[in-house]
Amino acid sequence: MESSGDAGWPSKSETCVQQPPTPPHCCSARDGGMPPASGKTFRSKTKARSMSTSAVPSCAEFRRTQSLHGPSPVTTFGPKACMLKNPKAVMHIQDPASQRLTWNKPPKSVLVIKKIQDVSLLQPFKDLCIFLTEQKQMLVYVERKVLEDPAIANDDSFVAVKKKFCTFREDLDDISNSVDFIICLGGDGTLLYASSLFQESVPPVMAFHLGSLGFLTPFNFDSYQSQVTQVIEGNAAIVLRSRLSVRVVKERREKGRGKDRKLLITNGDAEPARRTMQYQVLNEVVVDRGPSSYLSNVDLFLDGHLITTVQGDGVIVSTPTGSTAYAVAAGASMIHPNVPAIMITPICPHSLSFRPIVVPAGVELKVMLSREARNNAWVSFDGRKRQEIGQGDSITITTSCFPVPSICLRDPVNDWFESLAQCLHWNVRKKQGYMSSEEEEEEELEEEA
């Protein structure tokens, strides 16, 4: 990792690092609401997308009368029965509607993520960087390949600003303890990419709608200065988008073709027989048949028990955030990101009764190739890192304890329904016309006749 100018790396005292009991980005309760839950706390659309400063409301404007969580269940059943108390259980969960961003120290550094090779984003990117460096005195992190764009590299008027940047390279440089918050310029893919850069705690993410769909990007760039200022001052609501923690275990095989390749048997000093890879996934894990013309045939386990065998084009395991992506195209329901759940959706199953299901967020899922499978399967994570899965390999999926704190334009509920209406045109229909009393009488007479 290197600095492109004289600007140095932020010191540990300047960088907000997760340190209990005073975490850097936490969710404060509104106006005397309930305090945050104990344990680790993580960094954390109106009708028109163009919003002025006044469009970002105060806490009092959106105070809810009840929690988004359901009522706590009664734990006594009849005169003598009750639920066995678990001393290790943490029953207190903060109302998602009261989650707001706060800073322990003023933010000093920001990561700006720009969609690569998009000419329309060059001017917004330059304007934002000039605003952050010159007016807000922020240390700006930019990926090196963004600055290698000829339109930016050959711009003499932008040289002075570029010298203040700190650059990094994906998969080579670790910036997890250097960035206070993230600004995304582009579509939903930029937010997914931002999530992939942080395998543990994720800084708060502010996403501007400069792409094609923009379901996860609620902010309009027209009023970026006032909106960024609101975030820096800590005046913003957040929604914690859960991620999936995925562990892929692969058997080492001899080089060969097809599923007849033998497993490589090794002794103690030799190369280990298995290799493990870890991923943090915001949208979905997709297991499919790849280029093969045969059905995919994979076994699905839940907490160690075989629940079904998927025979079809594949299966999607998604978060609530991912329920509005590939899963909804495959026939799944749309789940609000505050709902703690994992969705399992088959892709073109060869069964009329195989419907998408929702399981609790706390379960462990495992996907393995069935013994009867005629071909290998393929897996991808948020559309990236695609790889082949063979006999003996396994994909273990659980809910990650490192969510993505996504900054809201208004609040989690309004933003979500605004995205459903504006991006997916949810329940758009020409309204039925009003029937006057005279028309009703005429209709009744016609029916009597």
Side-chain angles (χ1 to χ4, degrees):
M1 200 179 314
E2 61 188 45
S3 173
S4 56
D6 297 331
W9 296 94
S11 63
K12 291 185 178 179
S13 60
E14 294 175 330
T15 305
C16 293
V17 183
Q18 180 185 347
Q19 291 180 346
T22 56
H25 304 296
C26 53
C27 305
S28 58
R30 293 186 187 173
D31 301 328
M34 299 170 69
S38 59
K40 290 186 178 180
T41 309
F42 306 104
R43 296 189 180 192
S44 335
K45 291 178 174 166
T46 61
K47 292 298 177 186
R49 283 191 176 273
S50 178
M51 303 297 297
S52 61
T53 306
S54 60
V56 182
S58 64
C59 304
E61 286 184 64
F62 295 102
R63 184 184 293 112
R64 300 182 65 85
T65 57
Q66 63 183 27
S67 169
L68 290 180
H69 289 290
S72 299
V74 175
T75 56
T76 57
F77 316 108
K80 295 183 179 180
C82 66
M83 183 181 295
L84 180 65
K85 291 185 179 180
N86 183 356
K88 296 183 180 180
V90 179
M91 298 301 294
H92 173 73
I93 304 175
Q94 185 182 352
D95 176 14
S98 69
Q99 293 174 165
R100 297 193 66 82
L101 176 67
T102 187
W103 304 99
N104 285 337
K105 294 180 181 179
K108 298 294 184 182
S109 60
V110 56
L111 168 61
V112 178
I113 295 179
K114 169 190 166 295
K115 187 177 179 181
I116 304 296
Q117 297 179 344
D118 191 333
V119 179
S120 64
L121 296 181
L122 291 177
Q123 195 58 46
F125 172 74
K126 294 177 183 178
D127 292 343
L128 175 64
C129 291
I130 292 173
F131 170 74
L132 291 171
T133 55
E134 297 183 358
Q135 295 191 34
K136 295 300 179 181
Q137 304 300 314
M138 303 286 290
L139 181 62
V140 177
Y141 288 81
V142 178
E143 193 169 8
R144 181 186 292 181
K145 62 184 178 183
V146 172
L147 299 183
E148 292 172 353
D149 188 327
I152 296 178
N154 300 328
D155 188 349
D156 295 335
S157 63
F158 200 56
V159 172
V161 178
K162 287 192 295 182
K163 288 182 178 180
K164 301 178 182 179
F165 289 164
C166 283
T167 61
F168 72 97
R169 296 163 296 176
E170 182 188 5
D171 295 332
L172 294 177
D173 300 321
D174 183 12
I175 59 172
S176 56
N177 290 330
S178 303
V179 174
D180 293 334
F181 71 104
I182 305 169
I183 296 179
C184 295
L185 303 177
D188 295 343
T190 56
L191 192 144
L192 295 174
Y193 179 68
S195 169
S196 70
L197 295 176
F198 298 86
Q199 293 304 299
E200 292 187 355
S201 182
V202 185
V205 183
M206 183 180 191
F208 284 95
H209 175 56
L210 293 169
S212 54
L213 183 63
F215 192 91
L216 306 178
T217 56
F219 291 93
N220 189 286
F221 196 75
D222 293 342
S223 52
Y224 73 93
Q225 294 188 3
S226 60
Q227 292 169 336
V228 171
T229 300
Q230 294 270 355
V231 171
I232 293 175
E233 294 174 351
N235 184 18
I238 60 173
V239 56
L240 298 182
R241 299 185 179 275
S242 64
R243 296 195 291 178
L244 299 175
S245 177
V246 185
R247 185 176 76 254
V248 179
V249 179
K250 286 192 171 184
E251 300 281 356
R252 292 196 180 272
R253 297 176 176 83
E254 293 180 348
K255 292 183 179 180
R257 294 184 178 181
K259 56 176 290 185
D260 295 330
R261 291 179 297 179
K262 297 180 180 180
L263 297 182
L264 183 64
I265 308 300
T266 60
N267 332 9
D269 295 333
E271 186 180 26
R274 293 186 177 188
R275 58 192 180 101
T276 303
M277 293 158 286
Q278 299 274 355
Y279 302 96
Q280 294 285 326
V281 178
L282 178 58
N283 260 2
E284 72 274 302
V285 178
V286 178
V287 181
D288 58 61
R289 60 189 174 93
S292 173
S293 59
Y294 292 112
L295 293 174
S296 71
N297 197 336
V298 295
D299 293 333
L300 182 61
F301 299 83
L302 190 149
D303 288 341
H305 301 283
L306 177 65
I307 56 173
T308 192
T309 297
V310 180
Q311 297 182 95
D313 281 355
V315 63
I316 305 168
V317 180
S318 59
T319 64
T321 296
S323 69
T324 51
Y326 193 177
V328 74
S333 295
M334 296 180 288
I335 304 177
H336 190 277
N338 277 131
V339 178
I342 298 176
M343 174 168 281
I344 302 171
T345 307
I347 307 172
C348 298
H350 200 246
S351 168
L352 296 177
S353 60
F354 197 169
R355 294 291 180 262
I357 61 172
V358 178
V359 296
V363 304
E364 180 185 85
L365 297 172
K366 180 180 284 188
V367 181
M368 298 184 69
L369 200 64
S370 298
R371 292 181 179 274
E372 299 80 12
R374 297 183 179 182
N375 56 284
N376 288 344
W378 288 76
V379 62
S380 61
F381 314 94
D382 283 342
R384 308 178 76 216
K385 309 291 185 182
R386 188 168 172 82
Q387 54 196 270
E388 192 172 8
I389 299 297
Q391 291 289 349
D393 300 343
S394 65
I395 307 166
T396 304
I397 305 169
T398 57
T399 298
S400 171
C401 59
F402 298 107
V404 174
S406 181
I407 299 174
C408 302
L409 177 63
R410 294 183 64 192
D411 64 74
V413 174
N414 281 283
D415 280 15
W416 193 67
F417 278 101
E418 180 69 13
S419 293
L420 288 182
Q422 296 294 330
C423 300
L424 299 183
H425 303 291
W426 179 60
N427 197 28
V428 173
R429 178 194 184 276
K430 185 177 181 180
K431 289 189 176 181
Q432 190 178 50
Y434 171 76
M435 182 179 289
S436 64
S437 57
E438 291 81 3
E439 291 175 328
E440 289 181 359
E441 292 177 358
E442 291 178 3
E443 186 174 315
E444 290 176 359
L445 291 175
E446 290 176 359
E447 290 178 353
E448 292 176 357

